[in-house]
Amino acid sequence: MQIDRALATRLATVLKLVMHGKTLPVAAAEAGVSAAEIERLMKELERELWSRARDENGEPDPYTAATAPAKHAPKKKAAKPAHHDPVLPKLAPHGAKSAKAGLALIAYADGGSRGNPGEAACASLITTADGAELLRRAKRLGKATNNVAEYEGVLLALDLCKELGAAHVTLRIDSELVARQIDGEYKVRHPDLMQLHHRVLLRRRTFQSVAVEHVPRKDNTAADAMVNACLDGKELD
């Protein structure tokens, strides 16, 4: 039984989501794996396990007994080229040479405080490369400045992408200061931001690539709304 790296990453994400309480259909949808693909892999895995059990213990394989004329059919399916997988184009990053390069996700992040410093919160929304939402989360930070909250939003976004098994991340934030500091264009001078900046750089190294994009606030409205909802004590939409 052979599984390409990209599919293995998504299946691992499915298992992780199931372990966290998601149903299998929901987990499969969030990880971008079709129900047909899950069913195919489960059947091949069952055949593989029975094959090994039969070889080691001499026990009969019910699949072989039931489908003796087509005994070698699973091998043909296992040899199917990865590019025939209908899910791969959906998750491929823009400009990627091959889905084998790893899962690519887009992360929208934002943070803000009421008072600067004041009560603060951050939020992040994670989508596939074609815009399908996978996960959203927000958290209160206590008393903090706007810039600290913006950095906390970036850290939250990177943590969520790692949780989903991403290899490549496109980080979209509306804070020009934070975007330029992460990319090294601006120096970090404030002591409170130096530690946060260092933590972001360490997180960044755990991915194959992280592209930082400074976007207008109008293109980051979802994350901004989540920050305000969190500060207002409301449930996320």
Side-chain angles (χ1 to χ4, degrees), residues 85-234:
D85 183 350
V87 177
L88 295 182
K90 181 179 180 181
L91 292 177
H94 295 297
K97 294 181 179 180
S98 169
K100 292 184 178 179
L103 178 64
L105 298 178
I106 296 176
Y108 295 87
D110 198 14
S113 71
R114 294 177 177 173
N116 197 29
E119 286 300 313
C122 65
S124 178
L125 173 72
I126 313 299
T127 75
T128 61
D130 61 359
E133 181 178 332
L134 296 179
L135 188 61
R136 61 170 58 194
R137 194 169 297 168
K139 67 176 182 179
R140 298 182 70 94
L141 302 172
K143 190 175 182 180
T145 65
N146 281 326
N147 288 334
V148 166
E150 293 280 6
Y151 264 105
E152 290 287 358
V154 171
L155 289 168
L156 175 62
L158 294 177
D159 285 345
L160 295 183
C161 287
K162 181 60 66 175
E163 181 179 324
L164 290 170
H168 304 278
V169 177
T170 299
L171 179 64
R172 294 177 177 171
I173 55 179
D174 56 48
S175 170
E176 182 178 5
L177 174 70
V178 175
R180 301 295 181 246
Q181 286 181 340
I182 293 174
D183 271 347
E185 297 179 40
Y186 294 173
K187 291 184 178 180
V188 184
R189 303 183 185 278
H190 197 287
D192 290 345
L193 300 185
M194 288 181 178
Q195 183 179 7
L196 291 166
H197 179 262
H198 181 65
R199 288 170 58 193
V200 168
L201 295 185
L202 290 178
R203 295 276 209 296
R204 190 176 190 177
R205 293 172 188 169
T206 65
F207 298 92
Q208 292 184 38
S209 69
V210 176
V212 183
E213 296 182 359
H214 172 234
V215 298
R217 182 169 294 276
K218 65 181 180 64
D219 293 336
N220 201 26
T221 55
D224 179 68
M226 290 163 60
V227 169
N228 286 303
C230 185
L231 289 173
D232 291 338
K234 298 178 181 178

Side-chain angles (χ1 to χ4, degrees), residues 26 30 40 42 55 67 73 98 104 117 168 188 191 195 232 237:
V26 171
E30 291 187 4
R40 180 182 71 80
M42 291 301 293
D55 291 342
T67 60
S98 169
H168 304 278
V188 184
Q195 183 179 7
D232 291 338
D237 294 333

